[in-house]
Amino acid sequence: PCTISLSVDPSRLSAQLTLRTSVLLVSTSDPADPLAPRRAASRLWEERCATRIEGDDPRFPMEVVSFSTVFAGRPHEAAPWLLSWSPASPGRDFHGAARLYLNADEEDFVERVQEEDELTLQAMMGDVVSQMCETALRAGWDEDFDSAEPASVAGRVAHWLGQAFSDVTAAKAALENRPGEFRSAILASVRL
């Protein structure tokens, strides 16, 4: 048994902490097994462990950009926010697969987000969560939810659906038969 203790500078931490452990061969050896490592520094074993620091609801990846510059001439140029993501890979890490762009040209809106205005954040996150949940349900991600890693896109969507509805079947029924109630339930679930 071996105990390793690490001290991490809190100012360098964010939403997730990843620990990678490797066991390396210290010196060159001549093992009896022809498949065994022989050279010093050969990797004998490796494990990676990721854990959330901020609980189940990590900070959403956001960026403030000028839509009139970056999205000039596009239909969403005057929108206050844009969610950029692709539903093609539900297993991808959420923080690498989704990004929320805030329109720097809408200074009052950006200021409200930065000041953490509750209604502004609720409206914005309600829209974002609803977009992702609706897309996932229509795409039939049901099987992906059961085996999804919590940090994946499907894992985040499953978490959000669990906050708003009793189960995925209830969420699907609400989306298909009562879309207004579906969106309102999502909106209520993201209230800060």
XYZ file of all heavy atoms in Angstrom, residues 28-120:
741
model
N 16.056 -0.627 -16.328
C 16.029 -1.639 -17.377
C 16.112 -3.017 -16.723
O 16.854 -3.221 -15.762
C 17.220 -1.442 -18.344
O 17.143 -0.111 -18.858
C 17.181 -2.420 -19.492
N 15.327 -3.966 -17.266
C 15.322 -5.316 -16.693
C 15.316 -6.337 -17.825
O 15.094 -6.000 -18.980
C 14.110 -5.506 -15.784
O 12.933 -5.488 -16.554
N 15.562 -7.576 -17.467
C 15.540 -8.656 -18.443
C 14.545 -9.706 -17.938
O 14.930 -10.728 -17.372
C 16.946 -9.254 -18.586
C 17.044 -10.190 -19.780
O 16.181 -10.101 -20.686
O 17.978 -11.025 -19.799
N 13.225 -9.449 -18.139
C 12.215 -10.366 -17.602
C 12.149 -11.670 -18.400
O 12.555 -11.730 -19.557
C 10.917 -9.569 -17.755
C 11.176 -8.662 -18.911
C 12.645 -8.336 -18.863
N 11.610 -12.700 -17.748
C 11.464 -14.000 -18.401
C 10.368 -13.954 -19.469
O 10.452 -14.636 -20.491
C 11.152 -15.073 -17.359
N 9.349 -13.141 -19.251
C 8.228 -13.020 -20.198
C 8.637 -12.097 -21.340
O 9.004 -10.941 -21.119
C 7.008 -12.452 -19.467
C 5.773 -12.407 -20.350
O 5.896 -12.529 -21.583
O 4.670 -12.232 -19.795
N 8.581 -12.583 -22.592
C 9.013 -11.751 -23.722
C 8.105 -10.533 -23.967
O 8.519 -9.581 -24.618
C 8.966 -12.705 -24.920
C 8.100 -13.829 -24.505
C 8.166 -13.909 -23.015
N 6.881 -10.530 -23.411
C 5.975 -9.404 -23.599
C 6.077 -8.370 -22.478
O 5.478 -7.297 -22.565
C 4.529 -9.897 -23.709
C 4.234 -10.818 -24.899
C 2.783 -11.284 -24.839
C 4.502 -10.098 -26.204
N 6.822 -8.674 -21.432
C 6.951 -7.761 -20.297
C 7.835 -6.573 -20.673
O 8.744 -6.699 -21.493
C 7.537 -8.496 -19.100
N 7.582 -5.419 -20.078
C 8.408 -4.238 -20.353
C 9.853 -4.472 -19.935
O 10.124 -5.134 -18.937
C 7.770 -3.143 -19.489
C 6.411 -3.649 -19.142
C 6.483 -5.132 -19.169
N 10.783 -3.904 -20.705
C 12.201 -4.089 -20.446
C 12.914 -2.762 -20.185
O 13.851 -2.710 -19.419
C 12.875 -4.757 -21.644
C 12.339 -6.114 -21.959
C 12.927 -6.618 -23.289
N 12.326 -7.870 -23.672
C 12.671 -9.045 -23.173
N 13.615 -9.125 -22.291
N 12.060 -10.143 -23.551
N 12.495 -1.709 -20.856
C 13.204 -0.435 -20.786
C 12.751 0.402 -19.592
O 11.575 0.424 -19.248
C 12.965 0.376 -22.054
C 13.563 -0.258 -23.261
C 13.399 0.656 -24.446
N 13.883 -0.029 -25.642
C 13.517 0.255 -26.834
N 12.651 1.213 -27.066
N 14.003 -0.409 -27.856
N 13.697 1.129 -19.033
C 13.371 2.061 -17.946
C 12.376 3.095 -18.461
O 12.433 3.494 -19.639
C 14.640 2.751 -17.451
N 11.452 3.486 -17.618
C 10.399 4.478 -17.918
C 9.255 3.901 -18.752
O 8.368 4.635 -19.167
C 10.961 5.719 -18.576
N 9.243 2.576 -18.990
C 8.096 1.960 -19.673
C 6.888 2.033 -18.750
O 7.006 1.824 -17.544
C 8.382 0.489 -19.997
O 9.426 0.380 -20.927
N 5.728 2.328 -19.306
C 4.507 2.432 -18.504
C 4.001 1.022 -18.206
O 3.690 0.244 -19.099
C 3.447 3.230 -19.256
C 2.204 3.465 -18.417
C 1.174 4.326 -19.114
N 1.709 5.627 -19.443
C 1.657 6.173 -20.658
N 1.078 5.554 -21.636
N 2.186 7.352 -20.879
N 3.866 0.712 -16.923
C 3.369 -0.581 -16.497
C 1.861 -0.535 -16.246
O 1.171 -1.526 -16.438
C 4.073 -1.017 -15.208
C 5.594 -1.106 -15.275
C 6.151 -1.431 -13.901
C 6.030 -2.144 -16.293
N 1.384 0.632 -15.801
C -0.031 0.762 -15.440
C -0.368 2.245 -15.422
O 0.476 3.088 -15.108
C -0.254 0.145 -14.067
C -1.637 0.272 -13.515
C -2.716 -0.494 -13.817
C -2.092 1.226 -12.557
N -3.818 -0.082 -13.101
C -3.451 0.985 -12.317
C -1.476 2.275 -11.877
C -4.202 1.737 -11.430
C -2.223 3.024 -10.999
C -3.578 2.743 -10.783
N -1.628 2.560 -15.782
C -2.059 3.956 -15.729
C -3.551 4.004 -15.423
O -4.316 3.151 -15.877
C -1.787 4.666 -17.059
C -2.156 6.144 -17.019
C -1.720 6.873 -18.271
O -2.344 6.637 -19.322
O -0.770 7.655 -18.180
N -3.954 5.009 -14.639
C -5.356 5.205 -14.317
C -5.634 6.703 -14.296
O -4.796 7.500 -13.885
C -5.682 4.608 -12.946
C -7.137 4.754 -12.575
C -7.433 4.141 -11.214
O -6.828 4.584 -10.221
O -8.260 3.228 -11.173
N -6.827 7.068 -14.771
C -7.245 8.467 -14.788
C -8.556 8.582 -14.026
O -9.486 7.807 -14.246
C -7.448 8.926 -16.237
C -7.855 10.354 -16.379
C -7.985 10.696 -17.877
N -8.515 12.005 -18.050
C -9.813 12.298 -18.164
N -10.699 11.328 -18.142
N -10.224 13.526 -18.311
N -8.620 9.533 -13.127
C -9.816 9.747 -12.323
C -10.182 11.227 -12.408
O -9.353 12.095 -12.167
C -9.543 9.341 -10.879
S -10.920 9.681 -9.762
N -11.442 11.519 -12.780
C -11.915 12.898 -12.848
C -13.055 13.071 -11.849
O -13.908 12.202 -11.724
C -12.388 13.222 -14.256
N -13.038 14.178 -11.159
C -14.098 14.458 -10.199
C -14.490 15.923 -10.278
O -13.670 16.783 -10.577
C -13.659 14.093 -8.761
O -14.762 14.273 -7.887
C -12.511 14.944 -8.290
N -15.758 16.186 -10.014
C -16.271 17.550 -10.033
C -15.989 18.216 -8.696
O -16.197 17.627 -7.645
C -17.779 17.549 -10.284
C -18.107 17.039 -11.649
C -19.154 17.919 -12.288
N -19.346 17.515 -13.656
C -18.610 17.941 -14.657
N -17.649 18.780 -14.462
N -18.835 17.529 -15.872
N -15.560 19.451 -8.747
C -15.289 20.214 -7.543
C -16.552 20.947 -7.090
O -16.801 21.094 -5.912
C -14.143 21.214 -7.792
C -12.860 20.448 -8.065
C -13.968 22.163 -6.611
C -11.723 21.294 -8.529
N -17.351 21.373 -8.047
C -18.506 22.213 -7.744
C -19.820 21.456 -7.746
O -20.872 22.040 -7.957
C -18.562 23.366 -8.747
C -17.344 24.256 -8.649
C -17.391 25.417 -9.610
O -18.273 25.452 -10.485
O -16.550 26.303 -9.484
N -19.815 20.163 -7.562
C -21.061 19.408 -7.481
C -21.630 19.043 -8.834
O -20.925 19.019 -9.841
N -22.948 18.765 -8.887
C -23.596 18.296 -10.105
C -23.771 19.356 -11.173
O -23.934 19.052 -12.337
C -24.991 17.728 -9.778
C -24.892 16.360 -9.155
O -23.848 15.708 -9.335
O -25.856 15.954 -8.487
N -23.803 20.610 -10.795
C -24.053 21.673 -11.764
C -22.822 22.543 -11.962
O -22.691 23.608 -11.373
C -25.229 22.547 -11.309
C -26.541 21.806 -11.421
O -26.701 21.054 -12.397
O -27.391 21.980 -10.542
N -21.882 22.066 -12.790
C -20.692 22.868 -13.024
C -21.040 24.127 -13.822
O -22.110 24.226 -14.402
C -19.803 21.935 -13.855
C -20.758 21.035 -14.543
C -21.908 20.857 -13.584
N -20.126 25.046 -13.823
C -20.346 26.260 -14.596
C -20.461 25.924 -16.067
O -19.738 25.093 -16.590
C -19.190 27.226 -14.377
C -19.165 27.730 -12.978
C -18.043 28.697 -12.790
N -18.035 29.117 -11.408
C -16.968 29.528 -10.773
N -15.826 29.576 -11.394
N -17.048 29.893 -9.525
N -21.376 26.610 -16.700
C -21.602 26.380 -18.122
C -20.502 27.085 -18.908
O -20.197 28.244 -18.624
C -22.979 26.953 -18.507
C -23.555 26.340 -19.738
C -24.457 25.301 -19.650
C -23.189 26.794 -20.988
C -24.989 24.726 -20.776
C -23.711 26.227 -22.119
C -24.620 25.182 -22.016
N -19.894 26.428 -19.905
C -18.841 27.094 -20.679
C -19.423 28.254 -21.491
O -20.279 28.054 -22.347
C -18.295 25.998 -21.592
C -19.227 24.853 -21.491
C -20.118 25.059 -20.316
N -18.991 29.491 -21.188
C -19.516 30.689 -21.844
C -18.386 31.545 -22.373
O -17.280 31.513 -21.849
C -20.311 31.542 -20.863
C -21.621 30.988 -20.435
S -22.495 32.227 -19.487
C -23.132 31.232 -18.173
N -18.731 32.328 -23.386
C -17.779 33.262 -23.970
C -18.554 34.489 -24.441
O -19.626 34.368 -25.011
C -17.082 32.585 -25.146
C -15.903 33.330 -25.687
C -15.145 32.514 -26.725
O -15.175 31.277 -26.668
O -14.541 33.150 -27.610
N -18.009 35.670 -24.192
C -18.631 36.913 -24.630
C -17.927 37.363 -25.910
O -16.709 37.553 -25.919
C -18.514 38.013 -23.540
C -19.148 39.310 -24.014
C -19.154 37.548 -22.240
N -18.696 37.476 -27.003
C -18.147 37.907 -28.300
C -19.108 38.899 -28.954
O -20.301 38.912 -28.656
C -17.911 36.718 -29.265
C -16.887 35.748 -28.714
C -19.196 36.011 -29.606
N -18.578 39.692 -29.844
C -19.410 40.630 -30.590
C -20.080 39.887 -31.738
O -19.410 39.466 -32.688
C -18.559 41.775 -31.141
O -19.306 42.534 -32.059
N -21.387 39.717 -31.658
C -22.108 39.004 -32.718
C -22.062 39.773 -34.026
O -22.058 39.182 -35.101
C -23.558 38.757 -32.306
C -23.753 37.610 -31.331
C -22.749 37.196 -30.470
C -24.958 36.946 -31.279
C -22.935 36.153 -29.571
C -25.169 35.894 -30.395
C -24.150 35.501 -29.536
N -22.046 41.105 -33.963
C -22.015 41.890 -35.199
C -20.686 41.714 -35.933
O -20.608 41.930 -37.133
C -22.267 43.377 -34.913
O -21.248 43.910 -34.083
N -19.668 41.285 -35.219
C -18.373 41.011 -35.851
C -18.259 39.535 -36.240
O -17.981 39.202 -37.384
C -17.220 41.375 -34.880
O -17.338 42.741 -34.529
C -15.874 41.121 -35.509
N -18.495 38.652 -35.273
C -18.300 37.215 -35.493
C -19.400 36.606 -36.366
O -19.128 35.744 -37.199
C -18.229 36.481 -34.130
C -18.087 34.980 -34.328
C -17.068 37.006 -33.303
N -20.654 37.061 -36.195
C -21.775 36.477 -36.926
C -22.424 37.492 -37.879
O -23.631 37.440 -38.114
C -22.827 35.942 -35.945
C -22.278 34.935 -34.968
C -22.336 35.173 -33.604
C -21.693 33.756 -35.400
C -21.841 34.257 -32.680
C -21.197 32.823 -34.499
C -21.267 33.078 -33.139
N -21.642 38.412 -38.397
C -22.168 39.472 -39.268
C -22.960 38.884 -40.435
O -22.512 37.951 -41.105
C -21.032 40.335 -39.791
N -24.178 39.421 -40.622
C -25.015 39.008 -41.744
C -25.755 37.701 -41.537
O -26.490 37.259 -42.415
N -25.583 37.072 -40.384
C -26.275 35.803 -40.127
C -27.565 36.080 -39.367
O -27.690 37.104 -38.700
C -25.349 34.862 -39.362
C -24.121 34.560 -40.261
C -23.129 33.655 -39.680
N -23.626 32.308 -39.538
C -22.924 31.370 -38.915
N -21.748 31.632 -38.418
N -23.418 30.159 -38.792
N -28.541 35.182 -39.449
C -29.848 35.443 -38.831
C -29.808 35.714 -37.327
O -30.650 36.427 -36.804
C -30.652 34.168 -39.118
C -29.949 33.490 -40.232
C -28.515 33.913 -40.166
N -28.840 35.176 -36.628
C -28.763 35.335 -35.177
C -27.841 36.481 -34.738
O -27.500 36.595 -33.572
C -28.325 34.026 -34.516
C -27.069 33.457 -35.087
N -27.070 32.671 -36.210
C -25.782 33.572 -34.708
C -25.830 32.312 -36.503
N -25.035 32.857 -35.603
N -27.492 37.351 -35.645
C -26.583 38.456 -35.343
C -27.084 39.333 -34.183
O -26.296 39.835 -33.389
C -26.382 39.316 -36.591
C -25.459 40.490 -36.397
C -25.290 41.325 -37.652
O -25.683 40.881 -38.756
O -24.773 42.448 -37.521
N -28.395 39.528 -34.066
C -28.948 40.401 -33.022
C -29.446 39.634 -31.797
O -30.018 40.225 -30.881
C -30.093 41.230 -33.601
N -29.214 38.329 -31.729
C -29.666 37.530 -30.585
C -28.808 37.833 -29.359
O -27.618 38.130 -29.485
C -29.575 36.042 -30.919
N -29.388 37.756 -28.164
C -28.583 38.008 -26.968
C -27.617 36.858 -26.644
O -26.585 37.072 -26.027
C -29.618 38.183 -25.852
C -30.878 37.582 -26.370
C -30.815 37.605 -27.854
N -27.952 35.637 -27.061
C -27.059 34.503 -26.830
C -27.216 33.474 -27.929
O -28.195 33.468 -28.666
C -27.293 33.855 -25.467
C -28.639 33.219 -25.265
C -29.052 31.983 -25.694
C -29.758 33.777 -24.585
N -30.348 31.747 -25.315
C -30.808 32.840 -24.629
C -29.985 34.991 -23.937
C -32.050 33.072 -24.050
C -31.217 35.212 -23.358
C -32.233 34.255 -23.425
N -26.234 32.600 -28.029
C -26.245 31.507 -29.003
C -25.614 30.288 -28.350
O -24.502 30.363 -27.823
C -25.440 31.891 -30.255
C -25.093 30.736 -31.210
C -26.334 30.239 -31.927
C -24.031 31.155 -32.201
N -26.323 29.181 -28.374
C -25.781 27.919 -27.884
C -25.172 27.184 -29.071
O -25.844 26.898 -30.055
C -26.877 27.059 -27.256
C -26.445 25.657 -26.819
C -25.383 25.729 -25.723
C -27.638 24.838 -26.370
N -23.898 26.894 -28.991
C -23.206 26.165 -30.044
C -22.912 24.756 -29.534
O -22.192 24.578 -28.558
C -21.903 26.880 -30.413
O -21.188 26.140 -31.370
N -23.504 23.758 -30.204
C -23.271 22.366 -29.828
C -23.760 21.481 -30.958
O -24.488 21.922 -31.836
C -23.966 22.026 -28.520
C -25.459 21.863 -28.615
C -26.373 22.832 -28.894
C -26.208 20.654 -28.446
N -27.639 22.310 -28.893
C -27.570 20.980 -28.621
C -25.870 19.341 -28.152
C -28.585 20.025 -28.520
C -26.874 18.412 -28.036
C -28.219 18.750 -28.218
N -23.360 20.234 -30.948
C -23.817 19.273 -31.936
C -24.417 18.068 -31.236
O -23.769 17.465 -30.377
C -22.656 18.809 -32.825
O -23.074 17.736 -33.646
N -25.640 17.691 -31.588
C -26.264 16.530 -30.959
C -25.744 15.193 -31.493
O -26.188 14.140 -31.059
C -27.747 16.716 -31.282
C -27.771 17.532 -32.522
C -26.555 18.410 -32.472
N -24.770 15.233 -32.394
C -24.292 14.002 -33.028
C -23.494 13.099 -32.088
O -23.361 11.912 -32.350
C -23.435 14.352 -34.249
N -22.963 13.648 -30.999
C -22.115 12.847 -30.113
C -22.539 12.986 -28.658
O -21.927 13.734 -27.893
C -20.651 13.291 -30.266
O -20.235 13.184 -31.591
N -23.573 12.257 -28.231
C -24.042 12.370 -26.844
C -23.011 11.940 -25.807
O -23.083 12.354 -24.654
C -25.275 11.479 -26.791
C -25.264 10.659 -28.025
C -24.385 11.334 -29.017
N -22.024 11.151 -26.195
C -21.024 10.673 -25.250
C -19.851 11.613 -25.042
O -19.023 11.383 -24.155
N -19.775 12.688 -25.826
C -18.660 13.629 -25.688
C -18.692 14.338 -24.343
O -19.742 14.545 -23.761
C -18.731 14.706 -26.779
C -18.122 14.274 -28.077
C -18.005 15.397 -29.048
N -17.048 16.401 -28.589
C -16.959 17.602 -29.122
N -17.732 17.968 -30.103
N -16.068 18.467 -28.664
N -17.513 14.757 -23.881
C -17.422 15.540 -22.656
C -18.173 16.850 -22.855
O -17.964 17.552 -23.844
C -15.958 15.819 -22.316
C -15.827 16.642 -21.053
O -16.130 16.111 -19.973
O -15.442 17.822 -21.159
N -19.057 17.167 -21.928
C -19.922 18.335 -22.062
C -19.135 19.623 -22.276
O -19.474 20.440 -23.114
C -20.822 18.464 -20.832
C -21.746 19.639 -20.896
C -22.888 19.591 -21.658
C -21.460 20.807 -20.211
C -23.749 20.671 -21.744
C -22.302 21.893 -20.281
C -23.447 21.826 -21.049
N -18.063 19.810 -21.508
C -17.319 21.064 -21.594
C -16.565 21.226 -22.906
O -16.201 22.329 -23.269
C -16.390 21.220 -20.397
C -17.136 21.655 -19.186
N -17.777 20.758 -18.364
C -17.396 22.880 -18.695
C -18.375 21.426 -17.405
N -18.174 22.700 -17.580
N -16.346 20.156 -23.626
C -15.723 20.263 -24.937
C -16.740 20.299 -26.061
O -16.411 20.629 -27.198
N -17.985 19.965 -25.756
C -19.007 19.830 -26.803
C -19.996 20.989 -26.872
O -20.688 21.142 -27.857
C -19.785 18.528 -26.593
N -20.068 21.793 -25.822
C -21.062 22.880 -25.801
C -20.410 24.181 -25.378
O -19.520 24.198 -24.527
C -22.189 22.534 -24.827
N -20.850 25.258 -25.995
C -20.375 26.591 -25.623
C -21.508 27.569 -25.811
O -22.213 27.523 -26.808
C -19.183 27.005 -26.471
C -18.692 28.391 -26.108
C -17.213 28.618 -26.339
N -16.305 27.630 -25.827
C -15.820 27.577 -24.581
N -16.194 28.466 -23.703
N -14.976 26.655 -24.225
N -21.681 28.431 -24.831
C -22.714 29.449 -24.880
C -22.044 30.786 -25.152
O -21.205 31.237 -24.380
C -23.489 29.504 -23.553
C -24.636 30.486 -23.478
C -25.712 30.167 -24.510
C -25.236 30.481 -22.080
N -22.421 31.399 -26.278
C -21.881 32.700 -26.641
C -22.862 33.781 -26.208
O -24.055 33.696 -26.506
C -21.655 32.790 -28.153
C -20.558 31.876 -28.631
C -20.859 30.662 -29.236
C -19.213 32.226 -28.476
C -19.862 29.815 -29.675
C -18.209 31.377 -28.906
C -18.534 30.176 -29.510
O -17.544 29.344 -29.932
N -22.346 34.794 -25.507
C -23.141 35.942 -25.121
C -22.763 37.091 -26.044
O -21.586 37.305 -26.339
C -22.863 36.334 -23.667
C -23.015 35.235 -22.619
C -22.733 35.802 -21.231
C -24.394 34.610 -22.680
N -23.771 37.839 -26.479
C -23.559 38.912 -27.437
C -23.020 40.163 -26.741
O -23.754 40.860 -26.036
C -24.871 39.224 -28.166
C -24.675 40.154 -29.333
O -23.627 40.772 -29.498
N -25.704 40.258 -30.168
N -21.747 40.468 -26.958
C -21.111 41.646 -26.352
C -21.754 42.942 -26.821
O -21.650 43.964 -26.140
C -19.617 41.655 -26.686
N -22.437 42.904 -27.967
C -23.111 44.104 -28.478
C -24.326 44.455 -27.620
O -24.783 45.600 -27.636
C -23.548 43.894 -29.935
C -22.376 43.487 -30.817
O -21.257 43.992 -30.597
O -22.582 42.639 -31.716
N -24.845 43.498 -26.881
C -25.980 43.715 -25.974
C -25.414 43.951 -24.568
O -25.464 43.083 -23.703
C -26.915 42.495 -25.993
C -27.513 42.175 -27.339
C -28.539 43.217 -27.778
O -29.113 43.905 -26.908
O -28.752 43.350 -28.991
N -24.859 45.133 -24.371
C -24.129 45.441 -23.140
C -24.983 45.276 -21.881
O -24.501 44.765 -20.870
C -23.549 46.852 -23.218
C -22.465 46.982 -24.273
C -21.985 48.415 -24.439
O -22.295 49.278 -23.596
O -21.271 48.657 -25.436
N -26.248 45.730 -21.927
C -27.118 45.602 -20.753
C -27.329 44.139 -20.383
O -27.305 43.760 -19.209
C -28.484 46.267 -21.001
C -28.382 47.782 -21.083
O -27.373 48.336 -20.607
O -29.314 48.397 -21.637
N -27.515 43.302 -21.397
C -27.726 41.873 -21.165
C -26.481 41.242 -20.539
O -26.564 40.531 -19.526
C -28.088 41.161 -22.472
C -28.020 39.674 -22.379
C -28.964 38.974 -21.649
C -26.991 38.970 -22.979
C -28.897 37.593 -21.526
C -26.915 37.594 -22.864
C -27.872 36.907 -22.140
N -25.303 41.506 -21.116
C -24.058 40.936 -20.605
C -23.825 41.402 -19.170
O -23.412 40.612 -18.311
C -22.859 41.297 -21.516
C -21.542 40.864 -20.895
C -23.030 40.654 -22.889
N -24.125 42.657 -18.909
C -23.965 43.185 -17.552
C -24.879 42.444 -16.565
O -24.462 42.102 -15.464
C -24.288 44.681 -17.542
C -23.982 45.365 -16.224
C -24.223 46.860 -16.311
O -23.717 47.496 -17.250
O -24.951 47.367 -15.422
N -26.122 42.168 -16.990
C -27.046 41.431 -16.109
C -26.545 40.022 -15.831
O -26.689 39.502 -14.730
C -28.445 41.398 -16.718
C -29.213 42.663 -16.415
C -30.635 42.553 -16.896
N -30.715 43.434 -18.046
C -31.519 43.309 -19.068
N -32.383 42.324 -19.114
N -31.510 44.155 -20.058
N -25.961 39.383 -16.845
C -25.400 38.042 -16.647
C -24.229 38.109 -15.680
O -24.129 37.308 -14.749
C -24.985 37.403 -17.991
C -24.203 36.116 -17.760
C -26.197 37.141 -18.874
N -23.348 39.071 -15.872
C -22.184 39.208 -15.003
C -22.582 39.538 -13.565
O -21.913 39.125 -12.621
C -21.233 40.268 -15.556
C -20.548 39.805 -16.817
C -19.756 40.895 -17.515
O -19.997 42.082 -17.331
N -18.794 40.479 -18.338
N -23.672 40.275 -13.403
C -24.169 40.599 -12.060
C -25.009 39.466 -11.471
O -25.523 39.576 -10.368
C -25.001 41.890 -12.115
C -24.174 43.116 -12.398
C -25.023 44.367 -12.609
O -26.272 44.266 -12.651
O -24.428 45.443 -12.739
N -25.165 38.388 -12.239
C -25.928 37.201 -11.843
C -27.377 37.532 -11.529
O -27.954 37.032 -10.548
C -25.242 36.486 -10.673
C -23.850 35.989 -11.035
C -23.158 35.238 -9.914
O -23.807 34.879 -8.914
O -21.941 35.018 -10.041
N -27.995 38.359 -12.396
C -29.414 38.663 -12.279
C -30.196 37.366 -12.439
O -30.093 36.682 -13.462
C -29.823 39.682 -13.351
C -31.311 39.954 -13.330
O -31.769 40.619 -12.388
O -32.003 39.470 -14.259
N -30.979 37.015 -11.424
C -31.633 35.705 -11.379
C -32.579 35.458 -12.546
O -32.565 34.384 -13.149
C -32.375 35.531 -10.051
C -31.425 35.347 -8.888
C -32.144 35.077 -7.580
O -33.295 34.598 -7.605
O -31.533 35.332 -6.530
N -33.427 36.434 -12.881
C -34.382 36.222 -13.979
C -33.676 36.120 -15.326
O -34.069 35.315 -16.178
C -35.432 37.332 -14.005
C -36.469 37.257 -12.887
C -37.401 38.466 -12.935
C -37.267 35.971 -12.966
N -32.635 36.911 -15.523
C -31.872 36.841 -16.782
C -31.223 35.471 -16.923
O -31.313 34.832 -17.975
C -30.801 37.949 -16.825
O -31.444 39.219 -16.698
C -30.000 37.899 -18.119
